Amino acid sequence: MMDILNRSILFGGKAIVSALDITETAKRAREIHGFSVAAARAFTKALTLAAFMSAGFKDLGNKLTVILYGDGAGGKMVFAGKEGAKVRGYMEHPDCLADRPDAKVSDVVGREGTLAVIKDFGLKEPYNGYSRLVNGSIDADFAYYFTQSEQLPSAVATGVKFDENGEIVAAGGVIVQPMPGCTDEILVMLEDIVRDFTDMDERVAKFSPEQLIDDRFGHFEKSDLEPVYPAYECDCSRERTAAAIKLLGRAEAEKIVAEAGRIEVGCDFCGKKYVFDADDVRNIFDKDRNGKDS
């Protein structure tokens, strides 16, 4: 089953509501990283918002990086996104609080720390935004970031539903943001609607993104946009890893091989491992930029 992000323009262009189902994306992330229930809950909520943020990217070169530096049990969380809401990420301590499946999200994230966002549009300098963590709930932290760093007062509600065995059965969320011309009255009304989403774990399990929008916003003037299809994708490769080894310099790379017998590089995002022996390292440095022997 394919994940989906639906978006609708409200009040003739004064606001936009987005609703996501990223259940399969979340399951794939957990399969890769082996998250505990508590870690999966926090990670998935942030992954939902990383998917939302990258959904609007149009160009292949656009890149998103989101970093949560909190003092919680999960440690640092890093997310990357690109056009079409294709996302990936990792957590420093994915098995944290394994004995506390009902732990609060803030116990994993932490209540003190920083949310950093980097958007690279291929320009001379990327956009860098920062904000403090509000309470480690993810929803409030990202809402605060949008308001403080991007001047977009936003309403955010995400949810993750687990079954009795601790398996993810549904994940997603709703985000409402103003557009140029949005009045305070409209924004307050929309924020009140999203604030009423106190049972998002159940809502994302019961309703599709389209239904989530229609249920609470369908009575407003709205225009639906083309859907986007989130997925967990990693673009690591042996070639990219070889290029990173080349940055070490020949002397350093050969020193590592002499001491360890090989260079082994693991991808934090997908868990793949790339192994380079002495011959591989020699070939990396004996080929010029055109791939021909020097």
Side-chain angles (χ1 to χ4, degrees):
M1 190 171 181
M2 185 176 291
D3 290 345
I4 191 169
L5 184 160
N6 290 109
R7 295 174 292 183
S8 295
I9 302 296
L10 304 176
F11 303 106
K14 291 183 172 59
I16 182 169
V17 55
S18 303
L20 303 84
D21 175 355
I22 67 159
T23 305
E24 298 306 315
T25 304
K27 288 180 178 179
R28 177 58 180 152
R30 194 179 189 191
E31 177 185 348
I32 290 170
H33 297 294
F35 296 123
S36 64
V37 172
R41 182 180 294 110
F43 185 90
T44 299
K45 288 169 73 70
L47 187 68
T48 300
L49 292 163
F52 160 74
M53 294 173 75
S54 58
F57 288 177
K58 302 298 183 183
D59 297 331
L60 294 177
N62 293 171
K63 296 178 181 179
L64 169 76
T65 303
V66 176
I67 306 172
L68 279 161
Y69 297 100
D71 61 353
K76 181 172 71 174
M77 285 191 278
V78 179
F79 303 88
K82 58 183 181 180
E83 78 288 345
K86 302 303 186 285
V87 289
R88 59 194 189 278
Y90 66 88
M91 179 185 289
E92 189 174 4
H93 304 298
D95 58 348
C96 68
L97 304 177
D99 59 338
R100 294 175 54 198
D102 294 324
K104 293 181 179 179
V105 171
S106 56
D107 292 335
V108 177
V109 177
R111 294 167 180 78
E112 299 288 337
T114 303
L115 171 59
V117 175
I118 303 168
K119 295 181 180 180
D120 187 348
F121 298 110
L123 303 176
K124 187 175 181 180
E125 296 291 338
Y127 164 85
N128 294 276
Y130 303 89
S131 67
R132 64 176 176 81
L133 296 183
V134 176
N135 57 19
S137 69
I138 299 292
D139 290 358
D141 301 317
F142 275 82
Y144 184 76
Y145 163 78
F146 289 130
T147 300
Q148 295 298 312
S149 293
E150 299 190 6
Q151 288 73 56
L152 288 171
S154 305
V156 177
T158 60
V160 189
K161 176 71 173 178
F162 295 86
D163 64 17
E164 62 276 8
N165 297 316
E167 299 298 325
I168 296 173
V169 295
V174 175
I175 302 95
V176 179
Q177 292 186 316
M179 297 180 73
C182 184
T183 65
D184 290 342
E185 289 78 9
I186 290 175
L187 186 58
V188 168
M189 177 172 55
L190 295 175
E191 287 177 336
D192 285 343
I193 292 174
V194 177
R195 194 175 293 116
D196 189 46
F197 285 176
T198 56
D199 55 348
M200 279 303 292
D201 294 350
E202 298 298 330
R203 285 181 180 273
V204 296
K206 185 177 181 180
F207 300 107
S208 69
E210 185 176 18
Q211 290 170 333
L212 283 171
I213 292 175
D214 287 342
D215 180 53
R216 290 304 181 91
F217 304 95
H219 58 291
F220 298 130
E221 175 191 358
K222 74 180 184 72
S223 176
D224 299 331
L225 301 179
E226 287 295 318
V228 179
Y229 301 97
Y232 195 100
E233 286 188 6
C234 186
D235 55 5
C236 72
S237 67
R238 188 172 180 83
E239 291 72 22
R240 286 173 178 261
T241 308
I245 290 174
K246 194 166 187 177
L247 294 175
L248 291 173
R250 184 166 198 150
E252 182 63 22
E254 291 182 343
K255 178 182 177 182
I256 295 173
V257 173
E259 294 176 351
R262 62 182 182 175
I263 296 178
E264 182 173 308
V265 181
C267 177
D268 290 329
F269 292 108
C270 71
K272 288 182 181 177
K273 293 187 183 298
Y274 299 96
V275 178
F276 298 81
D277 61 19
D279 288 338
D280 295 325
V281 170
R282 187 179 306 111
N283 287 333
I284 289 173
F285 291 96
D286 283 350
K287 291 180 180 294
D288 63 20
R289 293 179 181 177
N290 294 317
K292 298 178 181 179
D293 290 340
S294 57

